[in-house]
Amino acid sequence: MSDACGCSDDKAGAGESEGVEEVVGFWQVGEVRAAAVAGVLLLAAWIASLAGGPPWLTLPLEILALLVAAWTFVPSTLRRLAKGRIGVGTLMTIAAVGAVALGQFGEAAMLAFLYAISEGLEEYSLAKTRRGLRALLDLVPAEATVLRGGGEVAVSPAELVPGDVMVVRPGERLATDGTIVTGRTSLDTSALTGESVPVEAGPGTEVYAGSINGTGPLEVEVTSTAENNSLARIVHIVEAEQSRKGPGQRLADSIAGKLVPGILIAAALIVVFGFIVGDPVLWFERALVVLVAASPCALAISVPVTVVASVGAASRIGVLIKGGGALETLGRIRTVALDKTGTLTRNKPAVIDVVPAGSATRERMLAVAAGLEARSEHPLARAILAAAPDRAAVTDVNAVPGSGLEGRLEGRRVRLGRPGWIDAGPLATDVERMQHTGATAVLIEDDGQAIGAIAVRDELRPEAREVIARLNRSGYTTVMLTGDNLITATALGQAAGIREVHAGLLPEDKAEIIRTLMARQPTAMVGDGVNDAPALATADTGIAMGAMGTDVAIETADIALMGEDLNHLPQVLDHARRTRRIMLQNVGLSLALIAVLIPLALFGALGLAAVVLIHELAEIVVIANGVRAGRPGRKTGLMAVQPSPAMEPAA
């Protein structure tokens, strides 16, 4: 929270604070309770005054109301002044003391009462939005069942250690991250990734805390403690990053920080003017009103409350946003560059066509290809190995970066790789046909002769075309970046609805293309968070997709889409745009209010109580408007997917 706002040091930390986190209900906020007591006392004084009560009855009520309300900000203001820091609390304290000096105890009490209400609402709104984020931790069950000593034992999730084996029955939530040892099931991960379709899982599958086991009993080996599992990391990272300020917040802080000293100087000059014209009391009173009229508390809180609400809302549907800076930048994005493999496509390539050449049979050609790919980790290798019934005994296999593989088979040189590195010969027409269908063509060569071509295609995600269409309708320029050949990339780009395609790129080439795009418009890069690291780091905003459980992606990306559903991309972009509009509305309203109130206060059109009331009502409006960023707009569709009732544990 900005120093310009009159908040205590205890509440003004950049991250979470104990005072904020302890708040649960509205009436648990100390400022709200104090304001309520002060309000009752002021009401009693007002009723007594209307009934013609004597001053000895109304005055003590007003003084008591002033003391109760002032307790919420005067002590913290004095502590800040002792450290050489001034803020809105300083203005309010001076105004209240000045009103008392003029004998206007009722006005001073009203000022303190209204300011206490605004402080309480500010604290409550921030605590509420932070609680929405912390609620993710409630997805962890109260106890977990583990196998110990030959039997099942119920323990607290905090007692789980890596190596423990959890027993997770249908309908139960996972207490921490782990790997399935035995059992098959469908997992509901909607609370983590925002994806409503259950995920099939079996032995060897990594699973995450908070997921709901759907259909079958599981034994899961624990891989993370409760304090460091995926849910806890999400919450801790977002809370730590909420203090990263964007341009809008830095602007608001800068204006507010410079405004407070300027207001004090202006008020002092008004008092001096009063002595010069011979009416010091009148101009002293107007100086106090100007102090309150120019208070920038609404300005100081306008952006932080919006950021906290917006980041919390995104986290609840499986989108991590690293603070206000990333959020504001995302709201300015106009070009979206997407990696092909794993982003636009499923990252599950499969062999779709096999064409042998010469005297080679389909089986022999596939066997040679499988022999070369036997130890490769490339996605294309997995597709070829899955399609080959046998593997040839290929030895001395070496990888040729950017080209393919070569080895020895029965003394002959055999190769597998891209067209161009291997001469397609009679297969040239088939290779071109494969590429035009959006497939990657791989040639196999035996002793200098091409013996066949294999077409491997990674299918587009089913939602890819609609997502790209939505981005285009929203005014974004979409670009595809890939290391694949131009013909294949163009075919896939056309299928997805992307007109601008850059193919044949190395990682450093992608980063260079991103720089070119950034020179035209603010640009976001969407990739897998690891292979596309240079481009993600270069872009105005790096968006890592499918980052659930990936430490590198979560730690390094500006934005992380925890699941594999590409629909979250336009949702979070629209959400960021809407949030940025709310920020600008709040900043504009706050500045306009100050610009209008200062001259009205200076020329006596408004008194102290009226200015305080208008100012604090405006702050309530700013807070309420900022909190809207935590609720989905009609266009964004940003909404957490609720788990299916069928997957909830039985009561």
Side-chain angles (χ1 to χ4, degrees):
M1 207 170 297
S2 169
D3 289 348
C5 192
C7 306
S8 70
D9 292 329
D10 297 333
K11 296 185 295 178
E16 66 183 275
S17 65
E18 293 301 323
V20 170
E21 292 301 332
E22 289 174 358
V23 172
V24 175
F26 180 72
W27 292 105
Q28 289 183 272
V29 181
E31 287 87 344
V32 171
R33 294 198 299 268
V37 172
V40 170
L41 292 170
L42 274 174
L43 180 62
W46 180 68
I47 293 173
S49 177
L50 287 180
W56 59 263
L57 177 60
T58 58
L59 184 59
L61 290 172
E62 292 173 347
I63 293 175
L64 191 55
L66 171 61
L67 293 175
V68 171
W71 168 82
T72 64
F73 64 91
V74 172
S76 61
T77 296
L78 295 177
R79 287 196 299 270
R80 292 165 65 84
L81 283 173
K83 297 177 182 179
R85 297 160 63 189
I86 60 176
V88 176
T90 308
L91 304 184
M92 294 300 178
T93 301
I94 293 173
V97 170
V100 169
L102 294 173
Q104 298 179 3
F105 290 94
E107 302 279 1
M110 181 61 72
L111 180 152
F113 163 67
L114 291 171
Y115 188 60
I117 290 177
S118 71
E119 288 287 275
L121 288 172
E122 178 183 321
E123 180 176 344
Y124 176 69
S125 66
L126 290 173
K128 183 179 179 181
T129 52
R130 284 196 178 106
R131 274 203 315 278
L133 175 63
R134 301 285 298 182
L136 284 173
L137 296 179
D138 294 337
L139 295 175
V140 174
E143 64 178 24
T145 303
V146 295
L147 297 177
R148 287 180 182 172
E152 296 183 4
V153 181
V155 300
S156 166
E159 298 177 35
L160 294 171
V161 295
D164 277 343
V165 176
M166 295 187 294
V167 177
V168 188
R169 296 178 176 83
E172 294 183 343
R173 289 187 184 271
L174 274 73
T176 191
D177 300 345
T179 303
I180 295 178
V181 178
T182 61
R184 291 189 175 276
T185 189
S186 58
L187 288 174
D188 181 352
T189 62
S190 59
L192 310 176
T193 66
E195 297 173 1
S196 58
V197 179
V199 178
E200 297 300 318
T205 302
E206 293 184 2
V207 291
Y208 305 109
S211 301
I212 302 175
N213 181 18
T215 55
L218 300 175
E219 290 186 4
V220 178
E221 182 178 350
V222 173
T223 58
S224 174
T225 62
E227 293 79 12
N228 196 41
N229 63 36
S230 50
L231 273 179
R233 287 202 308 274
I234 291 172
V235 173
H236 295 158
I237 289 171
V238 173
E239 285 182 337
E241 296 290 342
Q242 279 178 337
S243 62
R244 285 176 57 182
K245 298 180 179 180
Q249 187 168 346
R250 287 195 296 269
L251 175 63
D253 288 350
S254 176
I255 293 173
K258 294 174 181 176
L259 194 56
V260 173
I263 294 165
L264 291 174
I265 294 171
L269 292 175
I270 292 171
V271 173
V272 171
F273 178 77
F275 280 101
I276 293 174
V277 300
D279 195 354
V281 174
L282 172 63
W283 289 98
F284 180 72
E285 184 176 349
R286 290 189 181 179
L288 296 180
V289 181
V290 168
L291 279 179
V292 178
S295 166
C297 201
L299 176 64
I301 195 60
S302 61
V303 176
V305 72
T306 308
V307 169
V308 173
S310 182
V311 170
S315 70
R316 291 193 294 275
I317 60 102
V319 179
L320 277 180
I321 300 178
K322 295 291 191 70
L327 184 64
E328 287 191 58
T329 302
L330 188 64
R332 295 188 296 106
I333 293 300
R334 291 297 176 269
T335 297
V336 180
L338 302 101
D339 174 51
K340 177 178 76 71
T341 304
T343 302
L344 287 168
T345 64
R346 298 172 181 268
N347 200 20
K348 295 179 181 178
V351 173
I352 63 167
D353 193 10
V354 176
V355 179
S359 60
T361 64
R362 173 191 174 98
E363 290 72 20
R364 175 172 172 256
M365 183 194 69
L366 284 173
V368 173
L372 284 163
E373 295 278 24
R375 295 185 179 181
S376 175
E377 295 297 327
H378 196 280
L380 294 182
R382 292 194 292 271
I384 291 172
L385 291 171
D390 299 302
R391 301 180 190 178
V394 180
T395 59
D396 301 328
V397 177
N398 293 311
V400 180
S403 299
L405 300 165
E406 60 182 7
R408 309 293 296 182
L409 175 62
E410 298 175 354
R412 304 187 307 277
R413 184 191 186 202
V414 290
R415 296 195 298 167
L416 176 150
R418 62 178 179 81
W421 185 58
I422 296 176
D423 183 12
L427 294 168
T429 302
D430 294 296
V431 167
E432 187 173 351
R433 175 180 55 79
M434 292 174 177
Q435 292 175 339
H436 277 296
T437 65
T440 298
V442 178
L443 290 167
I444 299 90
E445 182 186 84
D446 186 349
D447 201 22
Q449 296 294 320
I451 62 172
I454 301 175
V456 181
R457 187 165 64 198
D458 189 4
E459 300 292 345
L460 282 175
R461 295 181 183 275
E463 73 275 17
R465 186 169 183 82
E466 175 54 34
V467 167
I468 298 302
R470 180 172 171 180
L471 291 174
N472 291 336
R473 287 195 302 269
S474 297
Y476 294 100
T477 300
T478 52
V479 180
M480 186 172 81
L481 308 181
T482 179
D484 215 333
N485 68 82
L486 182 59
I487 297 176
T488 299
T490 301
L492 274 170
Q494 289 176 346
I498 298 176
R499 296 185 182 88
E500 185 173 346
V501 174
H502 297 271
L505 304 176
L506 297 173
E508 54 268 29
D509 298 328
K510 291 183 181 181
E512 189 58 39
I513 295 293
I514 290 293
R515 291 189 188 95
T516 303
L517 296 173
M518 288 168 61
R520 300 189 327 218
Q521 290 179 316
T523 300
M525 172 66 192
V526 187
D528 63 10
V530 180
N531 296 332
D532 300 304
L536 288 168
T538 302
D540 292 301
T541 298
I543 303 176
M545 184 173 174
M548 188 67 202
T550 307
D551 291 339
V552 173
I554 295 175
E555 294 288 350
T556 60
D558 298 308
I559 314 290
L561 308 182
M562 308 307 290
E564 297 284 348
D565 189 350
L566 197 58
N567 282 304
H568 284 158
L569 178 60
Q571 288 175 359
V572 75
L573 285 166
D574 288 341
H575 179 63
R577 271 189 174 183
R578 178 171 177 264
T579 298
R580 188 165 179 266
R581 285 197 300 270
I582 292 173
M583 289 181 188
L584 295 176
Q585 290 167 5
N586 278 348
V587 171
L589 175 62
S590 303
L591 292 175
L593 180 71
I594 293 172
V596 170
L597 286 184
I598 287 179
L600 292 176
L602 182 62
F603 295 107
L606 294 174
L608 183 61
V611 169
V612 171
L613 180 60
I614 294 172
H615 229 302
E616 303 313 332
L617 285 175
E619 185 172 349
I620 293 172
V621 170
V622 163
I623 291 174
N625 192 41
V627 169
R628 284 197 307 120
R631 297 192 294 270
R634 291 181 181 178
K635 183 179 179 183
T636 67
L638 189 64
M639 187 176 297
V641 178
Q642 298 301 319
S644 168
M647 289 196 171
E648 292 289 2

